[in-house]
Amino acid sequence: MKRAVLVDSVRTGITRSFKGSLRETRPDDLAAHCVDQLLARNPRVDPERVADCVVGCAFPEGAQGMNIGRSVALLSRLGAAVAGTTMNRYCASGLQAIAYAAAQIASGHADAMVAGGVESISMTLSTVNTNHVFNRRLSDRHPGVYLGMDIDNPQIEYRKRVFQSMGETAELVAERFGISRRDQDVYSVRSQERTARAQASGLFDDEIIPVEVITTSGDERGEVVVRKKVVTRDECNRPATTLEQLAEFKPSFKPGGSVTAGNSSQVTDGACFCLLVSEDLARDRALEHLGYFRGFTVAGCPPEVMGVGPVPAIRELTRRVDVSPSEIDLFEINEAFASQTVHCQRVLEIDDQRLNVNGGAISIGHPFGMSGARMVGHLLRELRRRNGRFGVVSMCVGGGMGAAGLVESEGALRA
């Protein structure tokens, strides 16, 4: 089977949901802007050669509904001649989109694909359609799916149910596997510090494209103030965070618990897209590229401890691609919560210098459908900087799943 070449990736800066700079920017417009910038940076790939526009999205409704994949194709330079589809695997949606595109190319059914993910939590989670959303048979058979959601109380906003449920799964992971509050806070401070160093060193600059946005707010007289701004960087990092400060945070999901806002991923908005092509097209067009997407696996786990999902997914991935864990130079495991990231690190025996070396979702943010794509693009760049070869992107997934993808650095192969 042929290999899929990952030519390039671009993304927006990541900003806080409901308060940040992207809060009023439509996700389809945000994604289309990324696609246009991706094509502009890679003029040797004719948009007419692109077979499909694959968009990962965790909550594909409202502004993200109506098959956002097709909307993005139509809004971008790809145009009406390029098809579009939407992929949903919750927090792994962006990675799933890239995996699908890579499989189409590797099987010979496409020469070029655009794939990635987008999430505007600001524009969707406050207005999710919850008609008949809860299945009583599912609740009875697998109660962990709705853990912490209190599905018999119709007054609770759906977004609060979602965050409460995910937080309670993180609490269960901490309790069941002995991840202390201090363990979580120490990990979270390190994430903040690593992201601050990476930003100061310009390690995200190549992947982030500027986005012009308009935001509105009320002033002291009650009048609407319109502001224009260009978003050029991530806005969520708190570089001055200390262990003492995190120790003051109250538990967010359970009285007496250990999971807090300080050791959890930040709720954010953003988009990221990648350009993938066949080896033949890369060779014919003499394309410089980041590397190869080599494999993808998913695995199930108990829904109530969904945070452990990367463990079986990564084990299955390395088994199927016949690469031993010791050969993996770098891991990007999504920091949904520090409790589950620390657990996965311990079980898989990943040392600190190979895991999330420039921080993760705790310090950068986690736009659900976008994160997997961001991690792929960033990991390939970091492998090149370190002259590494193999990297793994993985995350836990709501409902009790894990997903994992293997990339191989082109920089290392040329060295």
Side-chain angles (χ1 to χ4, degrees), residues 14 75 89 113 184 215 322 342 357 382:
I14 295 174
L75 288 167
R89 199 186 289 274
M113 302 272 277
Q184 297 171 60
T215 60
D322 196 25
V342 170
V357 293
E382 189 61 30

Side-chain angles (χ1 to χ4, degrees), residues 144-205:
V145 171
Y146 299 142
L147 182 68
M149 286 195 175
D150 192 5
I151 65 175
D152 294 318
N153 186 349
Q155 304 304 317
I156 302 174
E157 293 181 54
Y158 185 72
R159 69 184 178 96
K160 292 182 179 179
R161 296 180 196 265
V162 170
F163 297 141
Q164 181 67 27
S165 181
M166 295 298 99
E168 290 206 16
T169 67
E171 286 282 8
L172 271 179
V173 169
E175 293 171 11
R176 191 170 295 181
F177 301 105
I179 313 299
S180 71
R181 168 70 180 268
R182 182 176 176 81
D183 293 335
Q184 297 171 60
D185 288 350
V186 167
Y187 181 90
S188 300
V189 169
R190 184 165 68 239
S191 179
Q192 298 286 356
E193 292 173 345
R194 287 181 169 184
T195 294
R197 286 198 299 268
Q199 284 185 324
S201 301
L203 300 189
F204 300 118
D205 292 355

Side-chain angles (χ1 to χ4, degrees), residues 215-228:
T215 60
T216 59
S217 60
D219 62 14
E220 62 277 3
R221 295 173 297 179
E223 297 180 358
V224 176
V225 178
V226 178
R227 293 183 175 87
K228 294 183 179 181

Side-chain angles (χ1 to χ4, degrees), residues 10-18 20-32 34 55-58 64 68 94 116-124 208-209 211 213 231 233-236 266-273 364-374:
V10 301
R11 70 176 180 91
T12 69
I14 295 174
T15 71
R16 290 182 177 86
S17 300
F18 311 114
S21 299
L22 298 178
R23 67 184 184 274
E24 295 177 69
T25 303
R26 288 185 59 94
D28 45 3
D29 288 335
L30 205 58
C34 285
V55 178
C57 180
Q64 299 178 162
I68 189 173
V118 64
E119 204 76 38
S120 174
I121 295 172
S122 298
M123 283 200 171
T124 55
I208 298 178
I209 48 138
V211 182
V213 300
V231 178
R233 58 183 282 130
D234 300 322
E235 297 181 353
C236 300
Q266 298 186 52
V267 181
T268 48
D269 304 325
C272 177
F273 282 83
I364 298 172
H366 178 25
F368 305 139
M370 176 254 210
S371 290
R374 178 195 73 79

